[in-house]
Amino acid sequence: MPSRRELFRRAVIGTAVITAVGAGTLAWSSTLLGEYSVMDMGDGHADHGGHEAGASETSVASGTVGGSGEVSVTALTAEADRPADVHVELVARQETIDVPGGRPIEGYTVNGTSPGPEIRARQGDLVEVEFVNESVTDGATLHWHGIDVPNAADGVAGITQDAVPVGGRFTYRFEATDAGTYWYHSHQVSHEQVERGLLGAVVIEPAGQPASPADGTSDVDVVAMLHLYGGQHTLNGRAKDEHVAAEPGSTVRVRVVNTDQGTAAVWSDGPFRVVATDGHDVNQPSEVEGQRVLMPAGGRADVAVRAPEHGTVRLHVGGARSILIGDPDATAPPSPQPSETLDLLAYGAPAPLGFDPASADRTYDYVIGRRFGIIDGRPGNFWTINGRMFPDVPMFHVAEGDVVRMRIVNDTGDVHPMHLHGHHVVVLSRDGVAASGSPWWVDSLDVRPGESYEIAFVADNPGIWSDHCHTLSHAVDGLVTHVMYEGVTTPFTINGAAGNQPE
Ligand code: C2O
Ligand code: CU
């Protein structure tokens, strides 16, 4: 079997640099991708975030690293002999999706529907999901978006596992450490499989609280999953609005999940509070009125709405669907989308972060640009990261325990919902303005044209973690790189015999 380095050499062997005629200033790099390992990405300009390469890189994962100093992603698992508290079997099929209220489309289902079943667990539970691919011809996986699972359960084809072929199965095991709203989706050919329905919701209820629907903060608790099926805007898989019956004065927690490829707006003509973003509670959320909440692709917002004394109140979720809360027989007229946006940078009250971002061990730039090039024989206007085009993008090296800061800059004309796997990041500033509200923890962050964000996280979950744009057509066009812990290796490759194509 060829070494990883040999595979990577073969992968880039087709590289040709064409100097444009005329001014002679354009260098178009054309890369033919063969089989490659993500471990070899960033070769020659590995980014150590201000650390000298090789110096102090040996501190990784005492307890997870064997004597060799290396650990495979496959060894980074949940406690192996702990019995599962929640066990679910999810079967993926390639078939027609029935869209109630709309027309059927060709796509992917989980246990016969799309979205697939909602998984509910209690904080602290060991969740075990037996995934079966019955008929997805390209192979499929499940990624647990926003849940900081052990790396072996991250579900990224070609990095943490091989795509599960037709007839195959794979077991995902993780502890539900943080209460909140999450979702699962395939991470094999994800720009196709996610868009066509291979997804579902995950709700982790806080420990020590009564079971669903009441989680202690609300009387009724519902999921509002947004998805576009072949141009049809749906709410929980149906192309129609929903009614949630609620007693006057009671509070309904609506867990909005944006599974689409762009930003979604949430608003109401009555007051509401944003009680959580991306699975983290907002500290002392105030009432929002006359403003909309903008949710990045992949992001979640838990919104608490009070049922009115009479009739219902309408919560707009995405531009096309609503949830009517209150008297199930009443209705409420639509209200126009407010032009003013709630600024989460200054929403709620400050609280300790639990770490000091001022004493960062590593500092990285993630500058998003765009230029003409050819990837895999395909010419196009491709995304760049720190000026480099896929697969020549930087690799962000970290060691376990590091405090990491990252400056994300968007030098393009499109919004990029940036998503780091395996970690939650906290927003420190936007365009130089420091965060002043509740700690704003995210796993999906919209970075708009011209904006720059400073974020920080603690490297507390060893592995190789994808860090990409969640507009999945952008990811497949090269807006993806990785955070790699020193000492962690993967035996999996992209474009090899297993057919792994994570994006
Ligand atoms: Cu929700 Cu890498 O994805
Ligand atoms: Cu993007």
Side-chain angles (χ1 to χ4, degrees):
M1 186 180 157
S3 71
R4 283 184 284 102
R5 239 150 255 282
E6 169 61 14
L7 290 174
F8 195 70
R9 197 187 62 77
R10 284 186 208 165
V12 297
I13 214 155
T15 300
V17 176
I18 302 157
T19 304
V21 288
T25 50
L26 292 176
W28 298 349
S29 65
S30 159
T31 302
L32 294 177
L33 296 175
E35 181 180 12
Y36 65 96
S37 167
V38 294
M39 291 170 56
D40 294 318
M41 292 175 71
D43 260 16
H45 46 268
D47 201 335
H48 293 268
H51 264 240
E52 295 286 308
S56 73
E57 309 276 38
T58 48
S59 60
V60 174
S62 43
T64 49
V65 179
S68 67
E70 290 206 337
V71 63
S72 166
V73 294
T74 57
L76 299 167
T77 62
E79 232 180 294
D81 27 328
R82 183 176 158 193
D85 302 293
V86 173
H87 179 92
V88 191
E89 187 181 74
L90 297 181
V91 180
R93 296 189 188 91
Q94 189 162 345
E95 62 180 351
T96 306
I97 303 171
D98 179 36
V99 182
R103 62 186 155 71
I105 71 151
E106 289 314 307
Y108 307 93
T109 60
V110 183
N111 293 6
T113 61
S114 177
E118 174 184 317
I119 298 176
R120 285 233 172 205
R122 186 69 60 84
Q123 192 174 11
D125 281 354
L126 197 288
V127 179
E128 183 174 272
V129 177
E130 187 75 22
F131 178 58
V132 180
N133 178 3
E134 199 174 286
S135 57
V136 180
T137 49
D138 285 338
T141 65
L142 291 181
H143 165 63
W144 308 91
H145 186 117
I147 306 181
D148 299 337
V149 301
N151 201 210
D154 198 39
V156 182
I159 302 180
T160 62
Q161 67 173 96
D162 280 331
V164 179
V166 173
R169 43 178 68 223
F170 189 93
T171 307
Y172 297 93
R173 284 168 55 87
F174 57 87
E175 192 183 317
T177 319
D178 297 309
T181 308
Y182 307 95
W183 59 300
Y184 59 84
H185 63 75
S186 180
H187 222 301
Q188 161 74 351
V189 201
S190 58
H191 72 285
E192 157 87 19
Q193 294 186 7
V194 177
E195 202 172 316
R196 292 188 171 272
L198 215 168
L199 51 89
V202 183
V203 173
I204 301 174
E205 292 163 1
Q209 301 281 355
S212 169
D215 72 350
T217 59
S218 50
D219 304 296
V220 181
D221 181 324
V222 296
V223 165
M225 191 167 231
L226 307 180
H227 195 75
L228 196 59
Y229 290 95
Q232 308 173 93
H233 288 276
T234 66
L235 174 54
N236 298 322
R238 295 177 287 269
K240 47 189 174 194
D241 294 345
E242 281 185 22
H243 285 262
V244 173
E247 294 298 319
S250 67
T251 302
V252 176
R253 185 183 186 117
V254 181
R255 300 171 180 269
V256 190
V257 185
N258 179 9
T259 69
D260 281 319
Q261 305 306 312
T263 311
V266 173
W267 74 94
S268 175
D269 57 0
F272 61 87
R273 292 170 205 268
V274 179
V275 293
T277 58
D278 287 3
H280 277 258
D281 288 351
V282 173
N283 186 42
Q284 298 178 36
S286 54
E287 267 187 358
V288 180
E289 252 190 299
Q291 291 180 314
R292 61 181 175 181
V293 178
L294 290 182
M295 299 177 59
R300 287 86 59 218
D302 293 14
V303 172
V305 183
R306 186 178 292 267
E309 289 308 320
H310 304 285
T312 71
V313 64
R314 181 185 288 260
L315 183 73
H316 290 263
V317 286
R321 294 281 159 250
S322 304
I323 297 187
L324 292 145
I325 293 164
D327 177 352
D329 298 320
T331 188
S335 57
Q337 183 175 155
S339 54
E340 202 187 314
T341 302
L342 176 72
D343 190 358
L344 292 166
L345 195 68
Y347 181 62
L353 296 179
F355 73 103
D356 181 13
S359 58
D361 299 286
R362 318 237 178 185
T363 303
Y364 289 113
D365 277 344
Y366 194 132
V367 180
I368 304 162
R370 199 173 198 189
R371 72 176 148 85
F372 184 79
I374 300 169
I375 295 182
D376 229 0
R378 194 163 56 101
N381 210 0
F382 291 105
W383 307 107
T384 59
I385 302 171
N386 297 350
R388 297 176 185 280
M389 200 168 76
F390 192 86
D392 198 28
V393 291
M395 169 71 82
F396 301 124
H397 290 260
V398 301
E400 190 175 7
D402 281 349
V403 169
V404 184
R405 279 173 89 110
M406 203 179 269
R407 192 175 63 104
I408 309 175
V409 180
N410 183 354
D411 281 343
T412 75
D414 295 78
V415 181
H416 300 293
M418 300 310 295
H419 171 54
L420 170 63
H421 288 209
H423 303 75
H424 275 77
V425 306
V426 71
V427 174
L428 303 177
S429 70
R430 181 184 59 229
D431 297 336
V433 178
S436 57
S438 164
W440 181 15
W441 290 99
V442 293
D443 54 63
S444 310
L445 178 67
D446 262 349
V447 184
R448 298 193 169 75
E451 278 184 341
S452 79
Y453 274 91
E454 267 195 301
I455 60 168
F457 64 94
V458 179
D460 56 3
N461 195 8
I464 301 175
W465 301 101
S466 195
D467 187 359
H468 64 92
C469 176
H470 220 281
T471 294
L472 298 168
S473 59
H474 294 180
V476 78
D477 277 348
L479 197 30
V480 51
T481 184
H482 304 87
V483 167
M484 188 162 110
Y485 282 62
E486 301 300 335
V488 178
T489 64
T490 177
F492 305 108
T493 62
I494 297 173
N495 288 340
N500 296 322
Q501 288 178 20
E503 271 68 54

